[in-house]
Amino acid sequence: MITPVPIGNRVRTIMPLDRAWLFNKGDASGADQATFADAGWRTVNLPHDWAIEGPFSESAATTGRGGYVPSGIGWYRNHFTLPTKVTSGQQVYIEFDGVMSNSTVYINGTQLGKHPYGYVSFRYDMTKSIEFGAENVVAVKTDTSLQPASRYYEGAGIYRHVRIIATDPVHVDQWATYVTTPSPTAASGTVKVTTSVVNSGTSSQSVSVQGIVSDAGGTALPAVAAPAQTIAAGAKADFAFEVSVASPKLWSPETPNMYQLLTNVQVGGTTLDDDVTPFGIRSLVFDATTGLNINGKNVKMKGVCLHQDYHGLGLAAPARAMQRRIAALKKIGVNAIRTAHDPPSPDFLDVCDRMGVLVMDEFFDVWVGHKYSDVGDYAAYFNKTATTPTGMPAVPGTATGAKWYEVDVTGIVARDRNHPSVVLYSAGNEIRDSSSTRLPLLTKMASIIHTLDLDGFVTQGLFRPQEAGDVTGTIRNVYDVFGANYRTAEVLDGMSGSPAKAGVITEIGTDTGTWSTVTGNQALTGLFMWTGVDYMGERDGGWPSIGGSGALMDELGGTIRSNGLAWSKIWGGAVTSSPPTGAQSGKVVLTADHPTLLNDVSDVSFVKAAVSSDTAVTFSIAGPGMIVAVDSASMTQETFRGNTRNSSGGLAYAIVQATGAGTITVTAKASGLTDGTATITATEGTWVPCSGTWY
């Protein structure tokens, strides 16, 4: 049993719940109950993806499209006591950044809710069933049994962070704080804030809201207050205020300056709750003549599409691994990422904010119709009525009977709208449903986006738009930016209709010839090539291969291919040749990409073993650390667990996390070669995006 440790000096209590989960692969009758005997279950930390643990099998129900990995039911349980600062009378929530998939959450035997889509975040109220000063048990059932469920690797389990949030009954509602910065200049900017405060108490309260804006260095501007309002018990109220910023540090890909808004909820002059919102000050315009303009400067998106798997880590990637991948892509000139074909994690967007990478935030790979025979994909739930509670904010304009797609779009936009990196929302990828089916669905999605995000621009990776009637049809008018996959000429045609629109090539191959079309058409805002890095899945019939190659670089970033070098030259990147392996004849050369680690689940070091020819490499570790995975760039089925991995291209990796403070020593052995060693210094602390060396 653990007691979650609150983070930060906050009025609201936020407690990460990533450590000491008990996991069982397979169903377990009664595992939802607090008294269930789970002593024999395996202890894991989050993020955790159990599918990547294998075994890979040619007969797996996921098929090659899903990477030949196992599927089914998995259970997670966590025993915890709340810290003493959390007391009866407070509201207590549990928040999940992402669970794959069809999750059901229980607290002390009481079901809190269900959510089918594995790529979204959600929050449940535990107040009525939580025990203060005693043991609590949260149980989570995940179910990927219905297969095939995707065209690419999706993983399984609680693969993103979990936290407990305790607030006063009078508090900021879920993802309610929204920040806009219209038309800033180098001389001045106005930060406009709206938020919603809910009163979950038993009596009405006179509530005021105070906002404090700080820059990245912690320098705070004077507080600004919104007028007080009386909020009845069980009701909520909206508040708005503005903060003037002199000489703002504008956010752009070149200067990713971040600010922070502290929103204090006050009753009688006492702060009862606080909400912290990172944001950037920038203007964003997609213009039918001048294309994409950020802070009045024309920007071309030098983009790549990325799936969410990180090879041996599966979907359970620590934020440091995300930063490592993005840094490698930035080095070859990439400034934009399309999250193909589903919404990313909050960690991913935080890293993109701080590294100056633009994001096309994509919602779904399917709508109503299945792709192929993937009966378990999101089409099974997309237009079905959502169950209550959904774990997300209410759908704008829909009092009852909301569909799952409406719920999920609402949650995605409400969660992601304050990230300055998010510049486009893509409603879907190559949706094959008829125009008559798609039009009302797209119209509803666009309405939700525009209601929740004033800078929310809608596009889509259209499939053969000319054939589907999308270039000139009614559906074209719903898009703010006209986008399509591979059909460059049709994108230009769609842009030139009436009214004219900015356009984007949402997906294209890695041939460099398309870039001249982008630079030759100002309103064509950029392209996203398939693909930035290799990925698992989409290999039906390809056994023993579990994934595809041919991207700009491999999944580990150890090899930048010739097409990556060509794009680096065109885009003005810093890479002119593929990184050397560092191999030396007769020995294993072992190098940690980060020689320091924090004892934090978000931090990780990739320890690279370079050998002169491909062979099996066996890793061992001493000190306060553990090997999370062994890896190489190979896409041939081979376990990522244990401590031995065959090298590929002369490279193999041990991915290491700290378990405490001290010196970690990693050793690598290979037949006929002298052992290699690397040391890592581990300390206590909290990992912050872009700390340490980016590259």
Side-chain angles (χ1 to χ4, degrees):
M1 184 174 65
I2 63 170
T3 300
V5 178
I7 58 173
N9 184 23
R10 298 280 300 276
V11 177
R12 170 180 292 196
T13 305
I14 301 176
M15 299 155 278
L17 196 65
D18 287 332
R19 296 188 183 272
W21 285 79
L22 300 175
F23 171 69
N24 181 73
K25 182 178 176 181
D27 205 356
S29 178
D32 57 318
Q33 297 300 306
T35 56
F36 178 82
D38 55 17
W41 287 17
R42 178 159 63 103
T43 301
V44 299
N45 291 332
L46 306 182
H48 179 246
D49 176 356
W50 63 260
I52 200 63
E53 297 173 355
F56 297 98
S57 171
E58 187 176 9
S59 60
T62 53
T63 74
R65 288 198 295 280
Y68 296 110
V69 295
S71 56
I73 293 172
W75 277 93
Y76 294 82
R77 289 167 58 86
N78 194 293
H79 299 247
F80 67 93
T81 58
L82 293 170
T84 55
K85 69 176 295 187
V86 179
T87 58
S88 178
Q90 290 186 289
Q91 295 292 120
V92 184
Y93 301 91
I94 188 166
E95 184 171 78
F96 295 82
D97 284 347
V99 182
M100 188 66 67
S101 59
N102 299 301
S103 62
T104 310
V105 180
Y106 306 85
I107 181 68
N108 298 328
T110 298
Q111 181 178 304
L112 296 176
K114 296 183 176 182
H115 211 106
Y117 196 31
Y119 290 103
V120 291
S121 305
F122 50 87
R123 177 189 300 178
Y124 295 128
D125 188 347
M126 300 193 294
T127 308
K128 292 181 179 179
S129 300
I130 202 77
E131 297 287 343
F132 296 89
E135 179 178 286
N136 295 276
V137 180
V138 59
V140 181
K141 179 183 180 181
T142 69
D143 190 352
T144 59
S145 299
L146 191 58
Q147 293 289 339
S150 180
R151 298 182 301 109
Y152 41 87
Y153 180 84
E154 283 199 320
I158 309 179
Y159 71 101
R160 294 178 183 168
H161 297 299
V162 178
R163 64 195 59 84
I164 296 171
I165 302 171
T167 70
D168 189 87
V170 179
H171 59 276
V172 174
D173 207 359
Q174 181 185 17
W175 304 325
T177 302
Y178 174 46
V179 180
T180 57
T181 57
S183 304
T185 67
S188 65
T190 300
V191 177
K192 294 189 174 184
V193 181
T194 60
T195 194
S196 181
V197 175
V198 62
N199 179 6
S200 299
T202 58
S203 61
S204 64
Q205 299 286 346
S206 177
V207 179
S208 61
V209 168
Q210 177 195 72
I212 301 172
V213 169
S214 302
D215 64 19
T219 301
L221 295 173
V224 174
Q229 300 184 53
T230 298
I231 308 178
K236 62 182 178 180
D238 297 331
F239 293 81
F241 57 89
E242 297 182 0
V243 180
S244 297
V245 182
S247 303
K249 301 171 184 177
L250 301 183
W251 188 96
S252 72
E254 296 78 21
T255 59
N257 299 303
M258 294 296 293
Y259 284 80
Q260 177 180 281
L261 169 70
L262 174 65
T263 303
N264 291 322
V265 177
Q266 299 178 326
V267 173
T270 300
T271 299
L272 302 184
D273 184 40
D274 54 359
D275 189 34
V276 174
T277 307
F279 69 98
I281 298 177
R282 57 109 167 103
S283 66
L284 179 68
V285 175
F286 283 90
D287 184 82
T289 300
T290 60
L292 170 60
N293 297 279
I294 298 176
N295 305 325
K297 178 183 176 181
N298 186 259
V299 176
K300 293 291 188 182
M301 288 185 284
K302 305 170 182 178
V304 295
C305 302
L306 292 183
H307 280 318
Q308 291 196 31
D309 75 274
Y310 285 75
H311 217 220
L313 296 168
L315 263 61
R320 170 76 85 175
M322 299 176 185
Q323 177 175 297
R324 180 178 183 271
R325 174 175 289 183
I326 293 170
L329 289 167
K330 277 179 63 77
K331 203 169 184 180
I332 61 174
V334 171
N335 71 354
I337 293 171
R338 176 191 181 204
T339 64
H341 300 290
D342 26 60
S345 70
D347 279 351
F348 183 86
L349 294 180
D350 286 343
V351 173
C352 288
D353 286 345
R354 288 161 174 78
M355 295 185 75
V357 176
L358 308 177
V359 175
M360 180 190 293
D361 195 339
E362 193 151 80
F363 295 160
F364 311 111
D365 190 45
V366 291
W367 289 0
V368 175
H370 297 290
K371 286 181 177 173
Y372 308 109
S373 60
D374 296 344
V375 294
D377 66 19
Y378 193 59
Y381 315 98
F382 182 88
N383 207 27
K384 303 290 176 60
T385 301
T387 55
T388 302
T390 65
M392 288 186 167
V395 176
T398 304
T400 60
K403 308 299 184 183
W404 273 121
Y405 85 92
E406 298 173 317
V407 168
D408 287 332
V409 170
T410 298
I412 295 163
V413 176
R415 189 198 70 175
D416 295 352
R417 58 188 172 175
N418 293 312
H419 288 278
S421 58
V422 175
V423 296
L424 279 170
Y425 296 105
S426 169
N429 171 66
E430 295 188 0
I431 304 302
R432 313 294 175 85
D433 304 325
S434 67
S435 292
S436 60
T437 299
R438 287 186 289 121
L439 180 58
L441 299 173
L442 176 65
T443 300
K444 180 63 176 181
M445 283 188 263
S447 174
I448 293 170
I449 293 167
H450 292 146
T451 298
L452 295 175
D453 189 352
L454 300 178
D455 280 339
F457 293 91
V458 184
T459 191
Q460 189 171 338
L462 290 170
F463 178 70
R464 300 178 181 177
Q466 189 72 59
E467 295 177 22
D470 296 338
V471 171
T472 58
T474 304
I475 203 168
R476 174 191 179 275
N477 296 326
V478 184
Y479 299 113
D480 300 307
V481 178
F482 192 87
N485 290 359
Y486 299 100
R487 304 295 177 110
T488 302
E490 293 174 34
V491 172
L492 295 174
D493 288 343
M495 293 164 54
S496 63
S498 180
K501 296 179 181 291
V504 59
I505 302 171
T506 47
E507 191 170 314
I508 197 72
T510 59
D511 182 83
T512 57
T514 313
W515 191 245
S516 61
T517 304
V518 174
T519 57
N521 293 270
Q522 192 167 1
L524 185 59
T525 60
L527 57 76
F528 293 84
M529 70 181 64
W530 195 265
T531 176
V533 300
D534 292 342
Y535 59 93
M536 294 195 299
E538 291 198 70
R539 295 299 292 173
D540 221 19
W543 181 266
S545 173
I546 60 170
S549 303
L552 301 187
M553 63 178 64
D554 66 43
E555 282 215 274
L556 282 302
T559 300
I560 299 172
R561 300 195 175 92
S562 59
N563 51 17
L565 298 177
W567 279 103
S568 182
K569 182 178 180 180
I570 289 173
W571 283 343
V575 179
T576 57
S577 62
S578 188
T581 64
Q584 296 179 31
S585 178
K587 64 186 299 184
V588 180
V589 179
L590 204 59
T591 309
D593 71 340
H594 287 284
T596 59
L597 273 178
L598 293 172
N599 183 20
D600 186 324
V601 295
S602 293
D603 202 3
V604 69
S605 182
F606 285 70
V607 182
K608 180 176 68 176
V611 293
S612 51
S613 61
D614 283 341
T615 186
V617 179
T618 299
F619 298 91
S620 60
I621 190 167
M626 63 180 179
I627 297 175
V628 179
V630 290
D631 212 341
S632 73
S634 171
M635 284 295 182
T636 301
Q637 71 90 17
E638 179 184 357
T639 184
F640 295 110
R641 296 302 177 257
N643 63 346
T644 299
R645 179 79 180 182
N646 289 313
S647 63
S648 176
L651 300 177
Y653 294 80
I655 304 174
V656 174
Q657 279 189 323
T659 57
T663 299
I664 301 169
T665 302
V666 181
T667 302
K669 298 177 179 291
S671 179
L673 302 178
T674 302
D675 297 353
T677 60
T679 58
I680 300 169
T681 302
T683 58
E684 299 295 337
T686 301
W687 187 81
V688 178
C690 299
S691 63
T693 303
W694 285 16
Y695 304 133

